[in-house]
């Protein structure tokens, strides 16, 4: 053992001397190993570098930002993000930003709309709803005061694109967006009605989704109803029934009626096989009936506009407005199934729902009964239901049922006055008794009481007016009763109109009466033995109301002329009535050369021309034209000095021409006064270059030339009758050119040149138009000196402008040829810059 230990120690000493190739290091369990000696140190150390003016917050200092610190530009960019949640948050951020900074919306409204409209057809329902609320509550109200034409045009293109989207939900939402546009810009419906109605028809005809998903049908019809409620309002204000816009709407609505009726009929099987009429089916059926009612109301507007009730035959209206196939469709598929639920044996809630549907069907029937000529048994069926509905026997007796009855019976009350006048005596008695029961039983402060009072007024007014007419016809001129009847006219002035101290005119109930009642009131005017100026003034201002049908206007003139011929109106009051009409009638559009086609469509210029001719005819039949001319001369001159619009001035001059003769009856002072006015009137009426007719166009003048000749013709008649008047006018026309050239030195040459260009063009155009008239040309040949003087002034101004003017902004090159002598001598001149 001792020897072995000694050997091992010796061996260890020998190994220590030689060294160890790999030294083994013993590690304790759980200790972390040290890194190897050749390991690379990957630790990175850095220090923050602070650079002022580089932070995001400092970049947005002073800018309008949302709650999340995003600017308008950033939010608009995020509305196109691929993530729907980001798009929705961006729209919410825009709402927040615009509410805090309204000026941002006003300053960038067009850029905002251009970006937001892209989301109208968004695939995400929440995004579309968020956009709708943003437009409804913030964007549209904030831009309401601006010019909304360009604003709307930016929206409608994307709305119509969404109406053709593959997804039904997107298409339905598009109608909701369009309704929003119509709410803030009502004329947009008449502008785009064709496309909207076509899309409504397509979605109802081609997508039979409503039987499975009734909520979608309800949404579609709600949009149609909301937009349709604005149809009548828009067209009553802006468009006559004979216009092309009305015709195009009529055609689309004709195509829509069968679709709506078929939709309503599709619900019958499901309703009859169900023990209860569920809420969704009821809402859909109610919306369909409301849509049909709107369409029928639109047809009624077109049929009745401008036509008295006596002119509406029971053969039916014009086929262009109402299609008789629609009548057959309504009689068979809608009125033929009336009434729905006739036994009232279901639950109270269901009975009330059927009552509402039956009331709307009855309303549709009453609207179109005079056009469709219903058979007797059908009329009896509806009259029986109306009586029962008025008595309250078609609705449940519960508290909710009474509330439903009171709300919807209001739809029938406006038809009662007309219905009472048309039905047989036995039905008349039944309807009046039922109506009286409603009037006695309703709350004095309820809307039902007001509706009853309105219906009573409508029923009583024709009776009262008819009674007054009969009293006037039977009154003896020498009896005390006749004096009481005469004094009644002082209480009738407010019946037509009233004028307050500030000049505002308030129109009385006469404007709102039916044609038959208006006829009774007008005929009653004849029987006042001395129709005073106060009542005539009230009638005159009533005649100036734009809402008065032109047939009523001419009927009033006809009756008043008969009253004057019978000695019931003083000549001074009679003339004052006509002068008020001609001088205050507001002609639309004011521009005699409408630039926009829609302006020409809504023009009442034709009515005013007819009024002028009627007044001239009445005044010429008074008797002594010389006496009437003396009375009217100074009155007309006083009106002309007030510088009325060109149409009114032309009408007054035409009255002078009709009552004048050759040689003229104008006084010396009248000639001087008239020359001052005519020198300016000719310049206004002939300033359009297109009004200058060529030699070969005398028989077929363009519209502008015909218009210009219409306004110039009274002047030509006056020149033919008074050469002195023509000489004074020519001298004043030369003076006007000279005065216009004497502009203040502060005006630039460009302004000077343009002002003189307009004045010179007007003067030369007037000379050329006078030259084209044969009689005036013969007269003007005697005033060669005055004409040459005018041309010399023009020539001197032309030379002066060429020397001192700016050729880039100079006068346009215009060449005129004018026969100075009336025979063969021709002088040509041109104005150039």
């Amino acid at each position: 053992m001792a020897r072995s230990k000694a050997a091992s120690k010796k061996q260890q000493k020998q190994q220590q001397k030689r060294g160890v190739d790999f030294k083994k290091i013993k590690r304790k369990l759980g200790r972390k190993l040290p890194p190897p000696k050749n390991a690379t140190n990957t630790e990175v150390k850095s220090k923050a570098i602070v650079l002022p003016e580089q932070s995001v917050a400092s970049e947005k200092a002073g800018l309008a930002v949302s709650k999340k610190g995003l600017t308008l530009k950033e939010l608009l960019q995020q509305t196109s993000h691929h993530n729907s949640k980001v798009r929705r948050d961006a729209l919410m951020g825009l709402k927040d930003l615009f509410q805090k900074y309204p000026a941002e919306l006003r300053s960038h409204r067009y850029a905002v709309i251009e970006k937001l409209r892209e989301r109208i057809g968004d695939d995400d329902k929440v995004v579309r709803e968020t956009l709708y609320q943003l437009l409804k509550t913030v964007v549209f109200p904030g831009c309401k005061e601006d010019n909304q034409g360009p604003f709307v045009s930016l929206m409608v293109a994307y709305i119509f694109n969404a109406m053709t989207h593959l997804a039904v939900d997107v298409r339905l939402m598009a109608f909701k967006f369009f309704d929003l546009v119509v709410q803030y810009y009502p004329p947009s419906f008449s502008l785009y009605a064709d496309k909207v109605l076509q899309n409504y028809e397509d979605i109802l005809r081609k997508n039979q989704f409503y039987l499975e998903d009734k909520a979608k049908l309800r949404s579609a019809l709600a949009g149609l109803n909301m937009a349709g409620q604005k149809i009548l309002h828009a067209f009553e204000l802006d468009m006559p029934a004979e216009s092309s816009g009305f015709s195009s709407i009529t055609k689309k609505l004709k195509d829509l009626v069968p679709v709506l009726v078929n939709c309503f009929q599709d619900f019958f099987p499901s309703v009859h096989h169900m023990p209860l009429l569920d809420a969704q089916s009821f809402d859909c059926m109610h919306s369909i009936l409301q849509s049909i009612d709107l369409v029928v109301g639109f047809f009624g507007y077109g049929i009745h506009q401008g036509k008295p009730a006596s002119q509406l035959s029971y053969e039916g209206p014009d086929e262009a407005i109402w299609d008789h196939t629609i009548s057959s469709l309504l009689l068979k598929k809608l009125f033929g199934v009336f009434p729905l639920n006739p036994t009232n044996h279901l639950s109270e809630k269901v009975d009330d729902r059927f009552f509402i549907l039956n009331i709307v069907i009855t309303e549709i029937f009453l609207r179109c009964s005079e056009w469709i000529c219903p058979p007797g048994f059908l009329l009896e069926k509806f009259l029986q239901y109306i009586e029962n509905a008025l008595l309250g026997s078609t609705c449940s007796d519960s508290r909710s049922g009474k509330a439903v009855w009171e709300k919807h019976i209001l739809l029938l009350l406006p038809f009662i006055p007309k219905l009472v006048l048309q039905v047989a005596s036995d039905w008349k008695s039944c309807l009046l008794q039922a109506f009286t029961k409603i009037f006695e039983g309703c709350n004095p402060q309820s809307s039902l009481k007001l509706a009853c009072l309105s219906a009573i007024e409508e029923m009583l007014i024709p009776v009262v007016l008819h009674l007054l007419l009969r009293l006037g016809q039977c009154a003896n001129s020498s009896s005390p009763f006749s004096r009481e009847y005469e004094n009644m006219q002082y209480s009738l002035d407010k019946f037509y109109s009233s004028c307050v101290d500030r000049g505002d005119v308030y129109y009385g109930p006469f404007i709102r009466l039916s044609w038959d009642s208006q006829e009774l009131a007008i005929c009653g005017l004849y029987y006042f033995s001395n129709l005073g100026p106060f009542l005539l003034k009230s009638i005159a201002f009533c005649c100036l109301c734009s809402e008065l049908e032109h047939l009523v206007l001419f009927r009033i003139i006809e009756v008043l002329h008969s009253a004057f011929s019978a000695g019931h109106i003083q000549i001074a009051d009679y003339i004052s009535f006509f002068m008020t009409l001609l001088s205050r009638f507001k002609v639309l559009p004011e521009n005699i050369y409408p630039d926009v086609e829609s302006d020409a469509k809504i023009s009442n210029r034709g009515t005013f021309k007819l009024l002028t001719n009627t007044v001239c005819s009445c005044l010429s039949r008074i008797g002594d034209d010389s006496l009437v001319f003396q009375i009217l001369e100074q009155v007309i001159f006083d009106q002309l000095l007030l510088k009325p619009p060109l149409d009114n001035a032309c009408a007054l001059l035409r009255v002078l021409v009709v009552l004048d003769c050759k040689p003229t009856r104008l006084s010396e002072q009248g000639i001087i006064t008239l020359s001052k006015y005519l020198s300016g009137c000719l310049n206004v009426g002939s300033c359009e270059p297109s009004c200058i007719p060529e030699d070969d166009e005398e028989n077929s003048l363009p519209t502008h030339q015909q218009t210009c000749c219409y306004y110039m013709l009274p002047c030509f008649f006056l020149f033919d009758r008074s050469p002195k008047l023509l000489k004074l006018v020519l001298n004043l026309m030369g003076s006007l050119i000279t005065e216009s050239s004497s502009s203040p030195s502060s005006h630039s040459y460009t302004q000077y040149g343009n002002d003189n260009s307009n004045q010179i063009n007007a003067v030369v155009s007037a000379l050329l138009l006078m030259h084209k008239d044969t009689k005036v040309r013969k007269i003007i040949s005697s005033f060669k000196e005055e004409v040459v003087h005018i041309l010399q002034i023009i020539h001197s101004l032309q030379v002066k402008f060429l020397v001192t003017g700016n050729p880039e902004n100079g006068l346009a090159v215009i060449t005129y040829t004018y026969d100075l002598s009336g025979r063969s001598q021709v002088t040509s001149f041109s104005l150039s810059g």
Side-chain angles (χ1 to χ4, degrees), residues 26-44:
K26 292 183 179 181
R27 304 295 182 186
K28 291 185 178 181
L29 188 64
R31 296 288 182 91
K32 184 177 179 181
L33 295 176
K37 294 181 179 180
N38 60 347
T40 303
N41 186 6
T42 58
E43 182 180 358
V44 178

Side-chain angles (χ1 to χ4, degrees), residues 337-407:
V337 299
F338 179 86
L340 306 177
N341 186 33
T343 57
N344 289 358
H345 64 278
L346 302 177
S347 66
E348 294 180 352
K349 183 178 292 186
V350 174
D351 287 345
D352 293 342
R353 289 172 181 171
F354 277 113
F355 168 75
I356 295 172
L357 297 179
N358 286 325
I359 286 292
V360 181
I361 295 176
T362 305
E363 183 183 13
I364 297 172
F365 175 81
L366 293 175
R367 285 191 191 278
C368 60
S369 59
E370 62 184 283
W371 323 325
I372 63 175
C373 192
F377 75 91
L378 185 61
L379 180 61
E380 290 282 331
K381 185 191 297 186
F382 273 96
L383 289 175
Q384 184 64 60
Y385 183 83
I386 292 172
E387 181 187 8
N388 293 336
L390 293 175
L391 294 173
S393 59
T394 58
C395 201
S396 66
D397 295 331
S398 64
R399 184 175 181 180
S400 61
K402 291 181 180 179
V404 170
W405 174 84
E406 182 172 344
K407 177 181 178 181

Side-chain angles (χ1 to χ4, degrees), residues 314-356:
Y314 279 91
E315 297 177 358
D318 189 354
E319 190 74 21
I321 297 179
W322 180 262
D323 194 336
H324 290 288
T325 58
I326 300 178
S327 299
S328 302
L329 183 71
L330 293 176
L331 285 171
K332 181 179 179 180
K333 294 189 175 183
L334 187 61
F335 303 145
V337 299
F338 179 86
L340 306 177
N341 186 33
T343 57
N344 289 358
H345 64 278
L346 302 177
S347 66
E348 294 180 352
K349 183 178 292 186
V350 174
D351 287 345
D352 293 342
R353 289 172 181 171
F354 277 113
F355 168 75
I356 295 172

Side-chain angles (χ1 to χ4, degrees), residues 560-626:
L560 291 182
H561 180 73
S562 300
F564 171 77
S565 301
H568 299 170
I569 304 177
Q570 299 294 323
I571 185 172
D573 298 333
Y574 187 59
I575 291 175
S576 297
F577 173 79
F578 285 131
M579 289 299 100
T580 301
L581 293 186
L582 295 184
S583 61
R584 299 202 178 192
F585 192 98
K586 187 173 180 60
V587 180
L588 298 173
E590 296 181 3
N591 182 12
I592 62 175
Y593 308 107
D595 296 328
V596 183
E597 184 179 356
S598 59
D599 290 344
K601 290 181 180 180
I602 63 173
S603 173
N604 62 351
R605 187 166 278 107
T607 301
F608 184 63
K609 289 181 179 180
L610 184 59
L611 173 63
T612 303
N613 294 337
T614 303
V615 171
C616 291
S617 175
C618 291
L619 292 177
S620 63
R621 287 184 288 170
I622 288 180
D624 190 344
D625 288 348
S626 177

Side-chain angles (χ1 to χ4, degrees), residues 50-274:
V50 180
L51 296 177
E53 307 299 329
Q54 291 293 321
S55 66
V56 177
S58 61
E59 288 181 354
K60 298 181 180 180
L63 297 179
V65 295
S66 64
K67 291 180 180 179
K68 295 184 178 181
L70 297 176
T71 63
L72 175 60
K73 182 179 179 180
E74 292 170 338
L75 290 170
L76 291 177
Q77 290 175 346
Q78 290 187 6
T79 59
S80 302
H81 198 273
H82 63 86
N83 188 299
S84 60
K85 185 178 184 303
V86 175
R87 298 197 300 271
R88 184 195 62 190
D89 291 342
L91 294 174
M92 295 297 294
L94 288 170
K95 181 178 180 180
D96 172 59
L97 188 144
F98 291 148
Q99 288 177 340
K100 290 172 60 179
Y101 305 98
E104 287 291 299
L105 176 59
R106 291 192 294 268
S107 302
H108 306 92
R109 56 188 179 277
Y110 294 118
V112 170
I113 287 297
E114 286 181 353
K115 196 64 179 175
L116 291 182
R117 62 182 182 172
E118 298 174 0
R119 305 272 62 81
I120 291 176
D122 198 284
D123 295 332
D124 189 84
K125 181 180 179 180
V126 178
V127 173
R128 295 195 304 270
E129 289 290 347
T130 305
L131 173 64
Y132 178 84
Q133 293 299 326
L134 172 63
L135 294 174
K136 180 180 180 179
T137 60
V138 180
V139 177
F140 280 10
C143 302
K144 192 174 182 179
E145 304 300 328
D146 301 328
N147 181 16
Q148 296 180 346
F151 190 83
V152 170
S153 62
L154 292 172
M155 292 282 297
V156 292
Y158 280 75
I159 291 177
F160 291 137
N161 186 49
M163 287 182 181
T164 59
H165 199 278
L166 293 176
V168 176
D169 291 338
V170 176
R171 298 177 69 181
L172 296 176
M173 190 69 187
F175 294 111
K176 194 174 179 181
F177 279 112
F178 183 75
D179 174 66
L180 185 62
V181 171
V182 174
Q183 288 181 30
Y184 285 92
Y185 188 62
S188 59
F189 186 89
S190 57
L191 293 175
Y192 305 104
D194 284 356
K195 292 183 178 180
V196 175
L197 292 176
Q198 182 61 53
N199 282 292
Y200 267 118
E201 181 184 347
D202 291 342
I203 199 170
L204 292 176
R205 188 191 297 274
K206 298 178 183 178
N207 294 276
Q208 301 296 325
F209 57 81
Y210 43 82
L211 294 180
E212 294 79 19
D213 193 346
K214 298 169 184 176
K216 292 183 178 180
L217 175 63
R218 184 176 55 186
S219 176
L221 293 170
L224 176 60
N225 290 332
M226 286 186 290
Q229 289 170 2
K230 302 169 180 69
I231 298 176
L232 283 176
H233 178 69
F235 276 88
E236 285 172 355
L237 293 179
D238 301 330
M239 193 170 296
E242 63 270 14
S243 68
S244 59
F246 188 94
S247 301
S248 63
I249 295 296
T250 300
K251 184 180 183 304
K252 294 296 182 183
L253 290 176
K254 285 180 182 179
D255 297 336
L256 190 60
V257 170
V259 179
L260 291 170
V261 173
N262 290 332
C263 283
F264 184 78
Q265 196 176 36
D266 287 339
F267 278 93
F268 280 359
S270 61
V271 170
H272 289 306
H273 289 86
M274 292 174 59

Side-chain angles (χ1 to χ4, degrees), residues 457-730:
E457 179 186 11
E458 192 172 346
M459 286 187 283
L460 289 180
I461 284 181
V463 177
V464 173
L465 291 175
H466 193 272
L467 177 62
L468 290 176
L469 177 61
R470 296 297 297 166
L471 291 175
Q473 292 171 339
C474 300
N476 189 341
S477 58
S478 59
S479 65
F481 176 75
S482 176
R483 289 193 294 271
E484 292 294 331
Y485 183 81
E486 289 297 319
N487 293 332
M488 193 182 302
Q489 66 177 289
Y490 299 106
S491 303
L492 287 177
D493 55 347
K494 293 183 180 179
F495 176 71
Y496 294 95
S497 68
S498 58
C499 185
V500 297
D501 296 337
R502 296 177 300 175
D504 297 331
V505 179
Y506 296 94
Y507 300 108
F510 176 83
I511 296 292
R512 302 186 299 272
L513 295 180
S514 64
W515 164 263
D516 296 329
S517 298
Q518 288 177 333
E519 175 68 13
L520 290 172
I522 295 170
C523 291
L525 297 174
Y526 175 84
Y527 296 98
F528 289 109
S529 61
N530 185 14
L531 199 57
F534 293 104
L535 183 55
L536 282 174
K537 180 181 177 181
S538 174
I539 297 172
F541 282 111
C542 180
C543 291
L544 297 175
C545 178
S546 59
E547 299 177 11
L548 187 70
E549 293 289 347
H550 65 276
L551 292 176
V552 180
L553 167 63
F554 293 113
R555 179 60 177 154
I556 290 174
I557 294 176
E558 179 184 1
V559 172
L560 291 182
H561 180 73
S562 300
F564 171 77
S565 301
H568 299 170
I569 304 177
Q570 299 294 323
I571 185 172
D573 298 333
Y574 187 59
I575 291 175
S576 297
F577 173 79
F578 285 131
M579 289 299 100
T580 301
L581 293 186
L582 295 184
S583 61
R584 299 202 178 192
F585 192 98
K586 187 173 180 60
V587 180
L588 298 173
E590 296 181 3
N591 182 12
I592 62 175
Y593 308 107
D595 296 328
V596 183
E597 184 179 356
S598 59
D599 290 344
K601 290 181 180 180
I602 63 173
S603 173
N604 62 351
R605 187 166 278 107
T607 301
F608 184 63
K609 289 181 179 180
L610 184 59
L611 173 63
T612 303
N613 294 337
T614 303
V615 171
C616 291
S617 175
C618 291
L619 292 177
S620 63
R621 287 184 288 170
I622 288 180
D624 190 344
D625 288 348
S626 177
L627 177 61
V628 177
F629 185 88
Q630 292 179 15
I631 296 174
L632 277 173
E633 181 182 15
Q634 190 58 45
V635 175
I636 291 178
F637 290 160
D638 292 341
Q639 291 295 326
L640 293 176
L641 292 177
L642 297 175
K643 298 181 179 180
L646 186 58
D647 287 278
N648 303 86
C650 180
L652 295 172
L653 290 176
R654 284 178 173 266
V655 172
L656 273 184
V657 170
V658 168
L659 299 175
D660 197 13
C661 64
K662 187 176 181 179
T664 184
R665 291 176 173 145
L666 289 169
S667 62
E668 291 295 324
Q669 184 60 41
I671 291 176
I672 296 173
T673 303
L674 190 57
S675 64
K676 295 178 181 179
Y677 178 79
L678 291 183
S679 59
C681 179
L682 286 171
N683 293 340
V684 174
S686 60
C687 61
E688 285 281 336
S690 60
C691 293
I692 307 171
E694 302 293 340
D695 291 335
D696 57 351
E697 293 179 339
E698 292 181 354
N699 296 326
S700 58
L701 294 178
T703 304
H704 276 210
Q705 295 179 12
Q706 293 176 358
T707 301
C708 190
C709 291
Y710 173 82
Y711 292 103
M712 298 285 286
L713 191 59
C715 304
F716 293 166
F717 273 101
L718 294 171
F719 294 156
D720 178 49
R721 297 169 183 177
S722 176
K724 181 178 180 181
L725 176 63
L726 176 58
K727 181 177 181 179
L728 288 174
V729 169
L730 291 173

